[in-house]
Each structure stands twice: as structure tokens, then as C-alpha cells.
Amino acid sequence: MLHRLATLTAERESGQLLRRLRTIDHADGPWLESGGRRLLSFCSNDYLGLAQHPQLIAAFKRTADDEGVGSTSAHLICGHRREHAALEEALAAWTGRDRALLFSTGYMANLGVLQTLLARGDLCLQDKLNHACLLDGAQLSGAELKRYPHADVAAAARQFSSRGGAAALLATDGVFSMDGDVAPLRELADLCAREQATLMVDDAHGLGVLGSDGAGSLSAAGLGQHEVPVLMATLGKALGCAGAFVAGSASLIDGLTQLARPYIYTTAMPPAVAAAALAAVQLAQSETWRREKLAASIARFRRGAAELGLPLLPSSSAIQPLLLGDADTAVAASRHLEQHCLLVGAIRPPTVPAGKARLRITLSAAHDDAHVDQLLAALETLPAPAASPRRV
Ligand code: PMP
């Protein structure tokens, strides 16, 4: 068995697909210190720049002082603290859902929802570019999994045709994690209504960023609980904390509480994290300037990249991928940027399809114009062949 791991690892190494752990010694806004160097990060998911906000830190410290660190148990034993309850209430109100249920991670939330709602004999449709944990959840559920080409609502509609009498659920990322584009949510909601299928949206990258109130891609699309009965989103990205939640009707939340194994059989998140996340929800709602600043940085970056002829994907979210093609080119580009004190991850297969390796550039309200300009200046000096796609 260990031999198999060694073989697979060697295969990855030969294809420039090996991922290396980097230890960050210190974080200071968008600046990270690693190996004695100070790097400007364009790869975190801290889209609103809240991870180091004094109010989050104060809430975290206060709760740790009062309650200690660990929740000491699963929610259904004695781990469900008032900080969790208050956060669930705030998340439900913000997203316009009846109730919300906290999970320790987004990965677990998606496994929990799909394992609970689906069973053998059911049909699960998913966008080809959905996050890995949505795919894993469907596979674990035993339902038939069909993946439609990215954002192709007509193809999804055709996949319903062989459904027979099976119950069906369609799951999609709200904002796609590696491409940054937004799913055709209104069309998918209409399709699910026609097919009497349940629509589930993973809004890990939309919550906090999209919608005038920051309530995410569903709020931006004007879709309520009736149209999208299952909303999942995370607390570790724009909210700067950790964990996740599922929001929807009381019967959805009651059912998950009773049946979702990744909810039941795991330790509840530390109450101090829940308290910090509540502070983050309040800031994400009240400090609208964060979304405005982020939007201005996105526009500045896209304008500058277009002037340089860089092959950006059509994304208006905080995720701005630069498509480079093969893994070698993406790795070389990432290394080149690091020489310019910029940290941008090279995303390679299997995270993205072969031939679609890229730099996943993420912008944040923590970035200033000067940071964006620094990135653009370094991108301008990318050596060939990374620069060659500019000509196409
Ligand atoms: N869904 C999406 C779309 C994600 O990008 C991620 C995290 N990368 C997750 C779910 C998992 O969330 P978490 O990191 O909280 O496990």
C-alpha cells in the first residue's frame, strides 16, 4: 500500500504536479512572512480582509477567556454553546433562510448534506467544475452522479430526461472556486422548478462578496429559500474564520441535525471561533466599503491585465485566474512572481483539467491600488512561454 503511494507521488513529481507545503511564519494583512522573506499574497480567500480584524480578535479572545478553547464535545452531546446558537441565528437572518446549522468545515457540510438527502436510486446532477467535496458527497451517497459541462443549463436539462421516477438534486458552486465565474443560478432554479428537483448551492466564494448586503450569490440573483432550498457557505473565506453552515427550512435543518453524520460525529467548532465569526458577519453587513474596495481592485486589476494582453478568464469575482495551459508554465510563472515577492499559487491537475493549469490570483479588500499595480508590473515581466498566450 505504501508502495502505491510512492508510485503515485513519483508520477506527480515527474509531471510538475507535486504540491509543496509552505510554512507561513507570520501574517500581516496581505503580507506573509515565509523562510525569512516577506511576500505580498494574492492567494488567500480572505476576500474582505477580515481575518485579522481587531473586532474578530477581541471576540475570539473574550470568548476564549470566558469559555476556554475547545467545545469539548459534539453539538448533540454538550458542545453546542450559546456562541454557536447566536451565530446560526445571525447567518439565517443574513441569508434570508428560516434556520442555519453550523458544521466544522465546508467539506464536512457538503458531505453531510449530500449523504443525508440522497440515497441509492436517486439522481444527483453537478456542474463539472464543482468543488471536490460536492463530488465526494454525491459519490458517498450512492446516488447516480451525472456531471454536466460547466454552466451548461441545456445539458443539465437533458440529463434529467433519463431520470424516470428518481428523486433528483442539482448541486452547483455559486462562484466557481478555480474559475471565479458565477453559476447561471436563475436558469438552474427555473430548471429545478420545472423538474421538481432540489437545488443546492455551495456559496463558499460568494458569501460576503456578492449581493448588496453581502449575503452572497443567491441574494445577488434574488433567489430565496423557496427556489434554492439548500444553501451551504463557509466561514473560512470572506468571513476570515473557519467552519461552515447550511441554511434552509426548519425541516431541512432538523433533518440534518438528526441524520448528517459529519455533523453528529464530530467535535463542534471552538466557541471562540463562532464568536469571531459572528463579529465577522456583523462587519460584512455593516462595512459595505469592503465590498466596494474589493470591486475597485478587481476592476483595476482586470483593466491592467487587459492592457497587458494577459489571458484572464471572464470573472468579475475576487478570483481572477490567469490561464497558462501546462503545469510547467504555471509553476514557472508562480516562481517568477515569488522572485518579485508576490505569492500566487499555481493550480494544476487534478484540481483543474489537464491543459488548464493557471495562476489563481485572488484579490481582497486588504489590497491597495499600489499592491494591485505591483502585481501587474510583475506579470508584465513574465517570461515566455507564459507570456505567449497573449498573442491568441
Ligand atoms: N466548497 C467550495 C466551493 C470551496 O472552495 C471549499 C474550500 N476550498 C469548500 C467547499 C470547503 O470548505 P472548507 O475549507 O471550510 O472545508
Side-chain angles (χ1 to χ4, degrees):
M1 272 179 178
L2 289 181
H3 174 69
R4 191 168 72 94
L5 286 190
T7 311
L8 291 174
T9 307
E11 265 174 37
R12 288 216 165 160
E13 187 155 25
S14 65
Q16 282 278 29
L17 300 178
L18 210 56
R19 292 137 170 200
R20 297 190 195 279
L21 261 184
R22 173 194 302 275
T23 302
I24 304 297
D25 298 313
H26 181 61
D28 173 18
W31 291 95
L32 299 177
E33 271 173 44
S34 180
R37 295 186 68 215
R38 206 166 134 78
L39 301 167
L40 180 58
S41 167
F42 283 94
C43 54
S44 100
N45 298 319
D46 183 21
Y47 304 129
L48 294 181
L50 289 177
Q52 298 193 328
H53 195 288
Q55 287 183 30
L56 272 70
I57 296 168
F60 187 96
K61 281 186 180 164
R62 213 171 31 242
T63 311
D65 280 344
D66 291 350
E67 311 290 333
V69 176
S71 67
T72 75
S73 164
H75 281 277
L76 288 170
I77 307 295
C78 63
H80 191 64
R81 306 299 181 85
R82 67 176 174 195
E83 290 79 10
H84 298 126
L87 176 58
E88 286 175 341
E89 253 181 55
L91 290 167
W94 189 25
T95 57
R97 266 64 192 163
D98 293 347
R99 299 255 302 276
L101 187 71
L102 291 175
F103 283 76
S104 296
T105 71
Y107 203 112
M108 292 163 72
N110 279 343
L111 294 189
V113 168
L114 293 169
Q115 276 183 304
T116 308
L117 294 186
L118 292 165
R120 200 171 295 283
D122 295 337
L123 174 65
C124 182
L125 299 194
Q126 295 211 15
D127 190 292
K128 265 229 159 100
L129 296 191
N130 272 357
H131 192 265
C133 55
L134 284 170
L135 299 176
D136 292 354
Q139 267 156 355
L140 283 171
S141 76
E144 183 188 2
L145 171 62
K146 288 189 177 175
R147 299 168 72 195
Y148 54 87
H150 179 49
D152 189 339
V153 182
R158 285 193 295 279
Q159 291 184 342
F160 274 119
S161 60
S162 59
R163 169 185 179 187
L169 179 145
L170 188 151
T172 181
D173 283 13
V175 175
F176 287 88
S177 57
M178 295 300 139
D179 283 43
D181 56 335
V182 179
L185 293 166
R186 167 64 60 187
E187 292 88 334
L188 289 172
D190 291 345
L191 173 64
C192 287
R194 278 199 307 280
E195 294 288 341
Q196 296 188 325
T198 302
L199 179 56
M200 169 179 186
V201 173
D202 172 341
D203 209 22
H205 299 278
L207 187 77
V209 175
L210 298 180
S212 56
D213 53 356
S217 61
L218 298 180
S219 163
L223 292 167
Q225 179 174 301
H226 178 66
E227 291 128 322
V228 186
V230 188
L231 163 64
M232 174 275 180
T234 59
L235 309 174
K237 297 184 169 72
L239 295 177
C241 294
F245 68 97
V246 176
S249 67
S251 57
L252 172 75
I253 299 307
D254 285 341
L256 291 175
T257 308
Q258 295 305 317
L259 299 165
R261 294 167 67 85
Y263 176 78
I264 299 167
Y265 297 109
T266 201
T267 303
M269 72 169 64
V273 173
L278 179 57
V281 169
Q282 288 158 353
L283 287 165
Q285 288 177 279
S286 61
E287 295 197 343
T288 49
W289 65 264
R290 290 179 185 274
R291 270 183 292 286
E292 286 154 17
K293 188 172 176 213
L294 173 62
S297 286
I298 294 168
R300 186 180 188 89
F301 176 70
R302 286 195 70 84
R303 233 181 0 257
E307 276 163 20
L308 296 175
L310 294 170
L312 274 190
L313 290 183
S315 155
S316 54
S317 76
I319 303 165
Q320 292 292 326
L322 194 59
L323 197 59
L324 294 176
D326 62 82
D328 288 353
T329 309
V331 170
S334 171
R335 288 199 184 126
H336 177 85
L337 293 181
E338 196 168 331
Q339 281 160 9
H340 288 72
C341 297
L342 296 162
L343 193 61
V344 182
I347 308 290
R348 293 156 282 163
T351 306
V352 291
K356 296 213 167 160
R358 65 198 64 187
L359 291 177
R360 179 178 183 267
I361 295 164
T362 50
L363 295 161
S364 162
H367 290 129
D368 294 327
D369 286 355
H371 298 142
V372 175
D373 293 348
Q374 192 178 334
L375 173 63
L376 287 166
L379 287 171
E380 191 173 7
T381 65
L382 273 186
S388 57
R390 293 179 198 185
R391 285 189 291 274
V392 289

